[in-house]
Amino acid sequence: MVCNMITVIKPGATQQQIDGLLNWFHARGLKTNVSEGEFQTVIGLIGDVGRVDVDLVKGLEIVDSVKRISDPFKRANRKFHPADTIVEISENVKIGGGNFQIIAGPCSVESEEQILTIAKSVKASGAGLLRGGAFKPRTSPYAFQGLHADGIELLEKAKAQTGLPIVTEIMNTLHLEMFKNVDIIQVGARNMQNFEMLKELGKSGKPILLKRGLANTLEELLMSAEYIMAEGNENVILCERGIRTFETYTRNTLDLSSVPVLKKLTHLPIIIDPSHAIGIAEHVKPMSLAAAACGADGLIIEVHNDPKNALCDGAQSLTPEEFGDLAKRVQAVREVVQS
Amino acid sequence: MVCNMITVIKPGATQQQIDGLLNWFHARGLKTNVSEGEFQTVIGLIGDVGRVDVDLVKGLEIVDSVKRISDPFKRANRKFHPADTIVEISENVKIGGGNFQIIAGPCSVESEEQILTIAKSVKASGAGLLRGGAFKPRTSPYAFQGLHADGIELLEKAKAQTGLPIVTEIMNTLHLEMFKNVDIIQVGARNMQNFEMLKELGKSGKPILLKRGLANTLEELLMSAEYIMAEGNENVILCERGIRTFETYTRNTLDLSSVPVLKKLTHLPIIIDPSHAIGIAEHVKPMSLAAAACGADGLIIEVHNDPKNALCDGAQSLTPEEFGDLAKRVQAVREVVQS
Amino acid sequence: MVCNMITVIKPGATQQQIDGLLNWFHARGLKTNVSEGEFQTVIGLIGDVGRVDVDLVKGLEIVDSVKRISDPFKRANRKFHPADTIVEISENVKIGGGNFQIIAGPCSVESEEQILTIAKSVKASGAGLLRGGAFKPRTSPYAFQGLHADGIELLEKAKAQTGLPIVTEIMNTLHLEMFKNVDIIQVGARNMQNFEMLKELGKSGKPILLKRGLANTLEELLMSAEYIMAEGNENVILCERGIRTFETYTRNTLDLSSVPVLKKLTHLPIIIDPSHAIGIAEHVKPMSLAAAACGADGLIIEVHNDPKNALCDGAQSLTPEEFGDLAKRVQAVREVVQS
Amino acid sequence: MVCNMITVIKPGATQQQIDGLLNWFHARGLKTNVSEGEFQTVIGLIGDVGRVDVDLVKGLEIVDSVKRISDPFKRANRKFHPADTIVEISENVKIGGGNFQIIAGPCSVESEEQILTIAKSVKASGAGLLRGGAFKPRTSPYAFQGLHADGIELLEKAKAQTGLPIVTEIMNTLHLEMFKNVDIIQVGARNMQNFEMLKELGKSGKPILLKRGLANTLEELLMSAEYIMAEGNENVILCERGIRTFETYTRNTLDLSSVPVLKKLTHLPIIIDPSHAIGIAEHVKPMSLAAAACGADGLIIEVHNDPKNALCDGAQSLTPEEFGDLAKRVQAVREVVQS
């Protein structure tokens, strides 16, 4: 049995003080194990340390320091689940465990013609899934917020015509009924810690694409995956989409080292969204190649037939031709890396 | 009528290219005004520029630069509403416009005895409102998440016995019915950009305490207030609760300059939460005095009768005695500053 | 004797592996103390752990986790030097240990008339020292970089006429000879980790005003103070001048909680520079009052007789009249807080 | 001639006020060009706007907004120098313009045997240059700081035996004489804005490897390159080595999108240091492949014959065997990307 947290006691503490602390831990359902050294006493804690306030223990007069040892994520932890999770969207479309997918499509669904045109085009170029926003989280209440139910219906039409599974973002679990034919439900960066939504999506059993929050750590991302998995839904795909830094030339900073780091920590698949991260179309291709080179399980790429007239985020959209070239080169890089 | 955005054209652009851009702006419902100078042409845009993708325009071949001029927030903007908003909680309890309030209470409601003891004690020391968490947003799904409906009932009992209005956090708008006797509904930092929740709270008409997100700018905070106000609810109280920085001695970094900056930009009241920002009880008092000194409209302070045994965040809780001393000194600083 | 670092061993480690690690520690001059518990073995390390690569030890196969326990700063540490350091600039001008000083003056020294006018004016309003830049660190090599030796001579004239000690920034230790009549030598934020400069200034014995770097932690600030103090110079004044965050309304984010935190960690005095932190003249006063309220040992305030025509940073300069009002109110806040 | 800055005047400004502002600009040596529109007046400024305090102009009563249009970097700007700079270290070793180099070696030079062993090994595996620290910037004054002059001598021996050009960091320009046989002088992240050092290195004419600061933007990096180039030294190699973010699993966050962004902005070569950025040996290879995939001009890789006993940063060092495998695969990725 492994110790989950250790507490180092200050040299001058009396036995009475130490006993008081031990009782306090026991009252919280923890087992303790005292190791007395020449220079320090260390208390090992075994059990569910999630309920212990580390900051409070640190603040106690006799405590020198406290260190949590076990990872706080369990179901997402590769230690307890060494094999890669493969999220199976359909018989032919799988993500993870060596299955690489490109999800492509417009930022927003705008019209039937638009989504059908793009869907056919990206399918022909090698995309495995179609993306398109129907509910758009916008900083301003006055900005275009998507076609909502109509947008989802148009995605369903595109799916019917092309066979591509569809991926779209949810913003309110009251809308879940509308998402019944959606193949992967996306949780946006701003809702990564909307814990009530995560629980509901956990209950839904649907594949979830969970985007990393704007200034969140990878551990926090995994803890949010844990919210979904704790409800019994193991179909979680993690997505790095850029974090907020001080750099201004790019919209966000794409943290590609998240790929090898997450691969080590978790068995869940990891995909990369270079379009949102960088916000500049011409830089999407090199960063897609880089994502493939460092081992990502997939990409989400914004493609628009007419970027100049796109209702949102046109600046980062590729044309179908540019996307076709990107898909080919990504494949070539993958072959070299895996050989 | 004021120009809302300007677009600077590159020197070599042809008249045909400029006309194409003008038509593109007109198709988006904007009026344009062309200023031709010796060295550059500048297009002023008048109208709702919220729907224009600034990054896309920047990316056009003939465009040198684009600058949005008008503030994106309207209802929260002091320019259009110079007088301070006063949020009236009850006949005697107002926030803003010179009305200063201290909201005090435990991080979590734990038991009837706990909340009643603390409520009476903070009332005696000068708190104007009682806080206490019933729904707790926790990074881990395995951590204590609050007493939920029972917690709100206990707050209502404390309100009945002390007359203190109550403040507590909402995490799911499906719970709104439970909050009907809550006086101020708190939106936590992680939900600051949960736009669907903000809209519902806007419709509720209830006073809302809106906390700044972990890595959000003040403009983003005001845009979230705008979501609530756009639904007709002007009872918004802004709250600075610390932002994420690289500093590790404090849990977050309390951005006190947000107070004078927000006072300039908006008519809404601004209160400070030093307890969550710093996370260390002994530093709460100096930062509370500083908040009063720079013009905040109020404070939220964690107080617990038994910090060592608190179920959450005990490390940052003051005892009732410490709170009493804090409240007295805050009052003294306010008198000096306002004289 | 206190343990300086602890290393927790993974459950399955063999005695041979543990012995190998112990030998490795001994070869680095450290004493070890093994505490064997039922569930884990903990090695306490005693000695100078500064030379041990914590990341390397963490990476060893048998190691679960490593935690440094002792503070890495020694001479600056309040634990080993409980009494406040008082930096004595002259018989009447002291900083720290209850001695509060306002350092005021222009961003750059521009002319004899300018510096003399401002010096007389700020002295009359209560400033204890005069500041003025002669060497200006500028992001661009093409921007105004100060009057250099001439600037220092003008400061010396102002000192001769007013009796105010002078504070100015050094950018190159080859210039040290020029600074022989300067009372406090300032190290700017960009040079906070210019360790070679810190060592030279340590040898100089001069009072040093050490500004916190743009994105540095308080521990890093104290380690830089340690570089100066390790050479025998204990006259170090720490200065918080704003850190880089995502907020854009203010130039930097003034981290006022650094005041109580540093007061706890170190015996060195801490002063606040609200002018550079915020960059907007009208917000300098409220933040100065806040700094006084939370216990700072002093302020550095930019004052210019003609802010509109200042060669640098005019936007954040107060007029002498505004400064006079500020100084009076700061004094009033200090009286309330200390009572 | 291109306008360098524009100033938008508020609607109600009087002609007298506008004339006052125009005179103020003229007094600073700028030409102005007034464009009067129906709704706003825009002043275009032509000339060296580097001396104008943008914040001050913004703060004027009649000014609505100010926008700098021209890039502040000139000599580093690709607009004025479209062809890639090729830094020629020797007849056979060039960096930039399609010439890719791997710089490999230990964090610190420790002994003759160590550096010779590693030098021969990395040369055999395809490294083009040898790195090794002789002066080490360390947060703590008590940590190992390098072998200094002895370290440089050992590097020179390794160069003599292997023919590999050598790269090592400078911390004090007083040491320049010691660096006369060093082929590339490295400026570390902490000295990126040590402007006095940059000027001296500009005068030296030596190839300079300029590392991006911990929390600096790419524009600031280019401005620091500008300091070196303004002294007549165009042999500047930019280096991304990770920026500080909130992520804790990696030491820093490697910003690989800096590669395509810098390639667009500047003609200078850009190399990547994944070892320092990530700090974990096993993640260095995937990130090196990613760097090659997105177009970097080279890599700096830490290699140590005995990482466990390395005096610094062993945790991130590859063994010579691991490095050999990395170099081969990097080459393969480059071939695919360039095809």
Side-chain angles (χ1 to χ4, degrees):
Chain A
M1 200 176 187
V2 182
C3 159
N4 304 111
M5 196 164 100
I6 53 171
T7 301
V8 182
I9 303 301
K10 281 187 189 156
T14 65
Q15 192 56 47
Q16 195 186 355
Q17 288 176 308
I18 294 175
D19 289 344
L21 182 58
L22 291 171
N23 289 337
W24 190 84
F25 285 136
H26 298 155
R28 268 144 196 81
L30 297 166
K31 285 187 195 166
T32 56
N33 175 63
V34 180
S35 317
E36 290 192 28
E38 190 182 353
F39 302 113
Q40 80 287 333
T41 297
V42 175
I43 303 175
L45 298 171
I46 300 103
D48 179 7
V49 295
R51 289 185 63 132
V52 174
D53 177 351
V54 171
D55 289 331
L56 172 65
V57 178
K58 269 183 196 160
L60 298 178
E61 209 187 321
I62 63 164
V63 171
D64 213 359
S65 71
V66 179
K67 186 159 176 59
R68 201 184 57 196
I69 291 171
S70 52
D71 290 325
F73 46 97
K74 297 172 189 179
R75 288 175 176 80
N77 200 327
R78 195 182 275 277
K79 279 183 201 156
F80 311 130
H81 182 318
D84 284 344
T85 283
I86 298 173
V87 178
E88 205 170 322
I89 310 302
S90 70
E91 207 182 329
N92 300 313
V93 179
K94 296 169 189 172
I95 303 181
N99 301 284
F100 185 93
Q101 296 294 343
I102 307 185
I103 305 171
C107 174
S108 287
V109 180
E110 296 169 23
S111 69
E112 182 166 338
E113 194 203 336
Q114 174 238 23
I115 193 70
L116 292 182
T117 307
I118 296 174
K120 287 171 193 167
S121 146
V122 299
K123 186 183 182 184
S125 302
L129 300 98
L130 176 68
R131 59 153 289 162
F135 292 89
K136 301 299 304 174
R138 305 297 302 269
T139 306
S140 166
Y142 312 121
F144 173 63
Q145 312 233 339
L147 295 183
H148 298 178
D150 292 347
I152 294 184
E153 270 177 43
L154 294 176
L155 284 170
E156 290 174 353
K157 275 196 190 167
K159 177 182 175 178
Q161 292 207 9
T162 60
L164 290 177
I166 54 179
V167 185
T168 196
E169 178 167 350
I170 197 165
M171 289 180 61
N172 188 333
T173 47
L174 290 178
H175 302 157
L176 254 175
E177 181 61 20
M178 282 186 227
F179 284 70
K180 64 177 181 296
N181 296 320
V182 168
D183 298 280
I184 301 181
I185 300 180
Q186 177 178 315
V187 175
R190 291 176 186 80
N191 278 315
M192 190 198 91
Q193 293 194 315
N194 180 345
F195 301 123
E196 292 282 318
M197 176 186 275
L198 299 177
K199 285 183 204 171
E200 285 304 310
L201 294 175
K203 287 174 195 152
S204 78
K206 285 261 186 192
I208 305 298
L209 181 66
L210 179 64
K211 290 195 151 190
R212 182 181 184 182
L214 221 62
N216 286 108
T217 63
L218 296 175
E219 184 173 303
E220 287 167 342
L221 174 62
L222 290 172
M223 291 311 290
S224 287
E226 201 75 17
Y227 261 98
I228 299 168
M229 298 171 87
E231 302 291 336
N233 184 355
E234 305 261 325
N235 294 308
V236 179
I237 303 157
L238 305 173
C239 179
E240 160 65 27
R241 44 74 75 202
I243 51 174
R244 193 165 264 193
T245 69
F246 306 128
E247 182 49 50
T248 55
Y249 280 111
T250 47
R251 184 158 51 183
N252 294 295
T253 293
L254 185 65
D255 177 11
L256 275 185
S257 33
S258 63
V259 175
V261 171
L262 285 172
K263 286 276 166 208
K264 178 86 177 178
L265 295 172
T266 184
H267 50 88
L268 297 174
I270 298 105
I271 68 173
I272 296 293
D273 179 347
S275 304
H276 275 89
I278 302 165
I280 304 167
E282 68 181 306
H283 300 330
V284 169
K285 192 173 83 179
M287 299 319 292
S288 297
L289 301 182
C294 68
D297 295 302
L299 292 166
I300 313 187
I301 305 289
E302 265 190 36
V303 178
H304 198 282
N305 52 331
D306 182 10
K308 189 178 154 184
N309 284 301
L311 283 176
C312 86
D313 285 339
Q316 72 210 22
S317 291
L318 303 187
T319 61
E321 294 69 36
E322 292 166 333
F323 173 71
D325 180 55
L326 177 151
K328 238 177 290 171
R329 285 170 179 275
V330 161
Q331 184 51 26
V333 167
R334 291 195 71 239
E335 280 164 21
V336 168
V337 171
Q338 292 179 320
S339 67
Chain B
M1 202 175 184
V2 182
C3 160
N4 303 111
M5 196 165 100
I6 55 171
T7 303
V8 182
I9 304 301
K10 280 186 190 157
T14 65
Q15 193 55 47
Q16 197 187 351
Q17 289 177 307
I18 294 175
D19 288 344
L21 182 59
L22 292 171
N23 289 337
W24 190 83
F25 285 136
H26 298 155
R28 269 144 195 81
L30 297 166
K31 287 189 194 165
T32 56
N33 176 64
V34 181
S35 318
E36 292 191 25
E38 191 182 349
F39 302 113
Q40 82 288 335
T41 298
V42 175
I43 302 176
L45 298 171
I46 301 102
D48 180 5
V49 295
R51 290 185 62 132
V52 175
D53 177 351
V54 171
D55 288 330
L56 173 65
V57 178
K58 268 183 195 160
L60 298 177
E61 208 188 321
I62 64 165
V63 170
D64 214 358
S65 70
V66 178
K67 187 161 174 58
R68 201 183 57 194
I69 291 171
S70 52
D71 290 325
F73 45 97
K74 298 172 188 178
R75 287 175 177 82
N77 200 325
R78 194 181 276 277
K79 280 184 199 155
F80 311 130
H81 182 318
D84 284 344
T85 282
I86 298 172
V87 178
E88 205 170 322
I89 309 303
S90 69
E91 208 181 329
N92 300 314
V93 178
K94 296 169 191 173
I95 304 180
N99 300 284
F100 185 94
Q101 295 293 344
I102 306 184
I103 304 171
C107 174
S108 289
V109 179
E110 297 167 24
S111 69
E112 181 165 342
E113 194 202 338
Q114 173 236 27
I115 193 70
L116 292 181
T117 308
I118 297 174
K120 286 171 193 167
S121 145
V122 299
K123 185 183 183 183
S125 301
L129 300 97
L130 176 68
R131 59 152 290 165
F135 292 89
K136 299 299 303 175
R138 304 298 300 270
T139 305
S140 167
Y142 312 120
F144 173 62
Q145 312 233 341
L147 295 183
H148 298 177
D150 293 347
I152 295 183
E153 269 176 44
L154 294 176
L155 284 170
E156 290 175 354
K157 274 196 192 168
K159 177 182 174 178
Q161 292 207 10
T162 59
L164 290 177
I166 55 180
V167 184
T168 196
E169 180 167 350
I170 196 165
M171 288 181 61
N172 187 334
T173 48
L174 290 179
H175 303 156
L176 255 175
E177 180 63 19
M178 283 186 225
F179 284 70
K180 63 178 185 294
N181 295 320
V182 169
D183 298 281
I184 301 182
I185 299 180
Q186 178 177 314
V187 176
R190 292 177 186 79
N191 279 314
M192 189 198 93
Q193 293 194 315
N194 180 345
F195 301 124
E196 292 282 318
M197 177 186 274
L198 299 177
K199 285 183 201 170
E200 285 305 308
L201 295 175
K203 286 174 196 151
S204 78
K206 284 261 185 191
I208 306 297
L209 181 67
L210 180 64
K211 290 196 153 189
R212 182 181 184 181
L214 221 61
N216 287 108
T217 63
L218 296 175
E219 185 173 301
E220 288 167 341
L221 174 63
L222 290 172
M223 291 310 291
S224 288
E226 202 75 17
Y227 261 98
I228 299 168
M229 299 171 87
E231 302 290 337
N233 185 354
E234 306 261 326
N235 293 310
V236 179
I237 302 158
L238 304 172
C239 179
E240 159 67 25
R241 43 76 75 204
I243 52 175
R244 193 166 265 195
T245 69
F246 306 128
E247 183 48 50
T248 55
Y249 280 111
T250 47
R251 182 156 52 183
N252 295 294
T253 293
L254 185 65
D255 177 11
L256 275 186
S257 33
S258 63
V259 174
V261 170
L262 285 172
K263 286 277 167 207
K264 179 86 178 180
L265 296 173
T266 184
H267 49 88
L268 297 173
I270 298 105
I271 69 173
I272 297 294
D273 179 347
S275 303
H276 275 89
I278 301 165
I280 305 165
E282 69 182 305
H283 299 330
V284 169
K285 191 172 86 178
M287 299 318 292
S288 296
L289 300 183
C294 68
D297 294 302
L299 292 166
I300 313 188
I301 305 288
E302 264 190 38
V303 178
H304 197 282
N305 52 330
D306 181 10
K308 189 179 154 184
N309 285 301
L311 282 177
C312 87
D313 286 339
Q316 71 211 21
S317 290
L318 303 186
T319 62
E321 294 68 38
E322 291 166 333
F323 173 72
D325 180 55
L326 177 152
K328 238 179 285 170
R329 282 169 180 275
V330 161
Q331 183 52 26
V333 167
R334 292 195 70 240
E335 279 164 21
V336 168
V337 172
Q338 292 179 320
S339 68
Chain C
M1 201 178 186
V2 181
C3 160
N4 303 111
M5 196 165 97
I6 54 172
T7 303
V8 182
I9 303 300
K10 280 187 190 156
T14 65
Q15 192 56 45
Q16 196 186 353
Q17 288 176 309
I18 294 175
D19 287 345
L21 182 59
L22 290 172
N23 288 338
W24 190 84
F25 285 135
H26 298 154
R28 268 143 196 82
L30 296 166
K31 286 189 194 164
T32 55
N33 176 63
V34 181
S35 317
E36 291 192 26
E38 189 181 353
F39 303 113
Q40 81 286 334
T41 297
V42 175
I43 303 175
L45 298 171
I46 300 102
D48 179 4
V49 294
R51 288 184 63 131
V52 175
D53 178 350
V54 171
D55 289 331
L56 173 65
V57 179
K58 269 184 196 160
L60 298 178
E61 207 188 322
I62 63 164
V63 170
D64 213 358
S65 70
V66 179
K67 186 160 178 56
R68 200 183 59 197
I69 291 171
S70 52
D71 290 325
F73 45 97
K74 299 172 188 178
R75 287 175 177 80
N77 200 326
R78 194 182 277 276
K79 279 183 200 157
F80 311 129
H81 182 319
D84 284 344
T85 283
I86 298 172
V87 178
E88 204 169 324
I89 309 303
S90 69
E91 205 181 331
N92 300 312
V93 179
K94 296 168 190 172
I95 303 182
N99 299 284
F100 185 94
Q101 294 294 344
I102 306 185
I103 304 171
C107 173
S108 288
V109 179
E110 296 169 24
S111 69
E112 181 164 341
E113 194 202 338
Q114 174 237 25
I115 194 69
L116 292 182
T117 309
I118 297 173
K120 288 171 191 165
S121 146
V122 299
K123 185 183 183 183
S125 302
L129 301 97
L130 176 68
R131 58 154 288 163
F135 293 89
K136 300 298 304 173
R138 305 297 301 269
T139 305
S140 168
Y142 312 119
F144 173 63
Q145 312 233 342
L147 296 182
H148 298 178
D150 293 347
I152 294 183
E153 271 177 43
L154 294 177
L155 284 170
E156 291 174 352
K157 275 197 190 167
K159 177 181 174 178
Q161 292 207 10
T162 60
L164 290 177
I166 55 180
V167 184
T168 195
E169 179 167 351
I170 197 165
M171 287 180 60
N172 189 333
T173 47
L174 291 178
H175 302 157
L176 255 175
E177 181 62 19
M178 282 186 226
F179 284 70
K180 64 178 184 292
N181 295 321
V182 169
D183 299 279
I184 302 181
I185 300 181
Q186 177 177 314
V187 175
R190 291 176 187 79
N191 279 314
M192 189 197 92
Q193 294 194 316
N194 180 344
F195 301 123
E196 291 283 317
M197 177 185 274
L198 299 177
K199 286 182 200 170
E200 285 305 309
L201 295 175
K203 287 173 196 151
S204 79
K206 283 262 185 192
I208 305 298
L209 180 66
L210 179 63
K211 290 196 154 191
R212 181 182 183 181
L214 222 62
N216 286 108
T217 63
L218 296 175
E219 185 174 301
E220 288 167 341
L221 174 62
L222 290 172
M223 291 310 292
S224 287
E226 201 76 15
Y227 261 97
I228 300 168
M229 298 171 86
E231 302 292 336
N233 184 354
E234 306 260 326
N235 293 310
V236 180
I237 302 157
L238 304 173
C239 179
E240 158 67 27
R241 45 73 76 203
I243 51 175
R244 193 165 264 193
T245 68
F246 305 128
E247 183 49 50
T248 55
Y249 281 111
T250 47
R251 183 157 51 182
N252 294 295
T253 293
L254 185 65
D255 177 12
L256 276 186
S257 33
S258 64
V259 175
V261 170
L262 286 171
K263 286 276 167 207
K264 177 88 179 179
L265 295 172
T266 185
H267 49 87
L268 298 173
I270 297 106
I271 69 173
I272 297 293
D273 180 347
S275 303
H276 275 88
I278 301 166
I280 305 165
E282 68 182 307
H283 300 329
V284 169
K285 191 172 84 178
M287 298 320 292
S288 298
L289 300 182
C294 67
D297 295 302
L299 291 166
I300 313 187
I301 305 287
E302 265 189 38
V303 178
H304 198 281
N305 53 331
D306 181 10
K308 190 178 153 183
N309 284 302
L311 282 178
C312 87
D313 286 338
Q316 73 210 21
S317 290
L318 303 186
T319 61
E321 294 69 37
E322 291 166 333
F323 172 73
D325 180 55
L326 177 150
K328 237 178 289 171
R329 284 171 180 275
V330 161
Q331 184 50 26
V333 167
R334 292 195 70 240
E335 280 164 19
V336 167
V337 171
Q338 294 178 319
S339 67
Chain D
M1 201 176 188
V2 182
C3 159
N4 302 111
M5 196 165 98
I6 54 172
T7 303
V8 182
I9 303 300
K10 280 186 190 158
T14 66
Q15 192 56 46
Q16 197 185 352
Q17 288 177 309
I18 294 174
D19 288 345
L21 182 59
L22 291 171
N23 288 337
W24 190 85
F25 285 136
H26 298 154
R28 269 143 195 81
L30 298 165
K31 286 190 197 165
T32 56
N33 175 64
V34 181
S35 317
E36 291 193 25
E38 191 181 351
F39 303 113
Q40 81 287 334
T41 297
V42 174
I43 303 176
L45 298 172
I46 299 101
D48 179 6
V49 295
R51 289 185 62 130
V52 175
D53 178 351
V54 171
D55 289 331
L56 172 65
V57 179
K58 267 183 195 161
L60 298 177
E61 208 188 322
I62 64 163
V63 170
D64 214 356
S65 70
V66 179
K67 184 158 178 58
R68 200 184 58 195
I69 291 171
S70 51
D71 290 326
F73 46 97
K74 298 173 188 177
R75 287 174 176 81
N77 201 326
R78 195 181 275 279
K79 279 184 201 156
F80 311 129
H81 183 317
D84 283 345
T85 282
I86 297 172
V87 178
E88 206 171 321
I89 308 303
S90 70
E91 208 182 330
N92 300 313
V93 179
K94 296 169 191 172
I95 303 181
N99 300 284
F100 184 94
Q101 295 294 345
I102 306 185
I103 305 170
C107 174
S108 287
V109 179
E110 297 169 25
S111 69
E112 182 166 338
E113 193 203 337
Q114 174 237 25
I115 193 71
L116 293 181
T117 307
I118 296 174
K120 288 171 193 169
S121 146
V122 299
K123 187 183 181 184
S125 303
L129 300 98
L130 177 68
R131 58 153 289 163
F135 292 90
K136 301 298 304 172
R138 305 297 301 269
T139 305
S140 166
Y142 312 120
F144 173 62
Q145 314 232 339
L147 296 182
H148 298 177
D150 294 345
I152 293 182
E153 270 176 44
L154 294 177
L155 283 170
E156 291 174 354
K157 276 196 190 167
K159 178 182 174 179
Q161 292 207 10
T162 60
L164 291 177
I166 54 179
V167 184
T168 196
E169 179 167 351
I170 196 166
M171 288 180 61
N172 188 334
T173 48
L174 289 179
H175 303 156
L176 255 174
E177 181 62 19
M178 283 186 227
F179 284 71
K180 64 178 182 296
N181 295 319
V182 169
D183 299 280
I184 301 181
I185 300 181
Q186 177 177 316
V187 176
R190 292 177 185 79
N191 277 316
M192 190 198 92
Q193 293 195 314
N194 180 345
F195 301 124
E196 291 283 318
M197 176 185 276
L198 299 177
K199 285 183 202 170
E200 284 306 308
L201 295 175
K203 286 174 196 151
S204 78
K206 284 261 186 193
I208 306 297
L209 180 67
L210 179 64
K211 290 197 153 189
R212 181 181 185 182
L214 221 63
N216 285 108
T217 64
L218 296 175
E219 184 173 301
E220 287 166 343
L221 174 62
L222 290 172
M223 292 309 292
S224 287
E226 201 75 17
Y227 261 97
I228 298 167
M229 299 172 87
E231 302 291 337
N233 184 354
E234 305 262 326
N235 293 311
V236 179
I237 302 158
L238 305 173
C239 179
E240 159 67 25
R241 43 76 75 205
I243 52 175
R244 193 165 263 194
T245 69
F246 306 127
E247 183 48 50
T248 54
Y249 280 111
T250 47
R251 182 157 52 182
N252 295 295
T253 293
L254 185 65
D255 177 11
L256 276 186
S257 34
S258 63
V259 175
V261 170
L262 285 172
K263 286 276 165 207
K264 177 89 179 177
L265 295 173
T266 185
H267 48 88
L268 298 173
I270 297 105
I271 67 173
I272 296 294
D273 179 347
S275 304
H276 275 90
I278 301 166
I280 304 165
E282 69 181 306
H283 300 329
V284 169
K285 190 172 84 177
M287 299 318 292
S288 296
L289 301 182
C294 68
D297 294 303
L299 292 166
I300 312 187
I301 305 289
E302 265 189 38
V303 179
H304 198 282
N305 52 332
D306 181 11
K308 190 178 153 185
N309 284 301
L311 282 176
C312 85
D313 285 338
Q316 72 210 21
S317 290
L318 302 187
T319 62
E321 295 68 38
E322 291 166 333
F323 173 71
D325 179 55
L326 178 151
K328 238 177 288 171
R329 285 171 178 274
V330 160
Q331 184 51 25
V333 167
R334 289 195 71 241
E335 280 164 21
V336 167
V337 171
Q338 292 178 322
S339 66

